[in-house]
Amino acid sequence: MSMLSLDEAERVIAAGVVRAAELSVPVNIAVLDAGANLKAFVRMDRALLGSIDIAMGKARTSALFQMNSEALFDFCKPGGTSFGLENSNGGLFVFAGGRPLVVGGGVVGAVGVSGGSVAQDDAIAQTAAAALSAAVV
């Protein structure tokens, strides 16, 4: 299994910062390794302080379950197969903005973004995650 290097984590963050600047939204971006440990983090100027924990939570959720953070919502919602799942693992963030980082078909970590709208956070996370995949090819 491949490990997430610091260089790769910084490329993910750099791509996220560029996309956030294009959208004119200051965000927090967290990159975690496959074990859900913090590898790199940035708080853009004027990014909301309260969004720091949310960015880290989205990345953690994505790393733990190896899927986009919002994909867990269907399991957690009332009537879902795992109602209350979001209360496990110290609390999960089951809305968009967390994406797994994949290298060679394996998950090596995750990125989480918070500070804009959910759609903006997700667009930034998607660009950030894609930067790792594109760099590895």
Side-chain angles (χ1 to χ4, degrees):
M1 182 171 144
S2 192
M3 269 184 38
L4 180 67
S5 71
L6 178 58
D7 181 59
E8 290 168 329
E10 289 174 341
R11 272 188 273 148
V12 168
I13 285 183
V17 167
V18 168
R19 184 69 175 124
E22 291 170 355
L23 296 173
S24 298
V25 57
V27 296
N28 296 288
I29 303 172
V31 176
L32 277 57
D33 65 16
N37 301 295
L38 185 63
K39 187 74 176 191
F41 179 84
V42 67
R43 177 176 172 252
M44 294 176 66
D45 294 342
R46 299 181 324 279
L48 299 170
L49 290 173
S51 292
I52 293 170
D53 184 56
I54 297 169
M56 293 177 66
K58 289 178 183 182
R60 187 171 166 278
T61 298
S62 186
L64 289 173
F65 288 88
Q66 299 187 353
M67 62 179 67
N68 294 351
S69 54
E70 77 276 8
L72 288 173
F73 177 74
D74 283 336
F75 297 102
C76 301
K77 68 183 179 184
T81 58
S82 302
F83 178 63
L85 178 67
E86 73 281 4
N87 298 312
S88 71
N89 294 286
L92 302 173
F93 290 75
V94 296
F95 46 96
R99 292 192 172 248
L101 298 174
V102 180
V103 173
V107 175
V108 297
V111 60
V113 178
S114 184
S117 68
V118 173
Q120 290 169 324
D121 291 352
D122 190 46
I124 296 164
Q126 182 177 5
T127 297
L132 178 60
S133 299
V136 174
V137 173

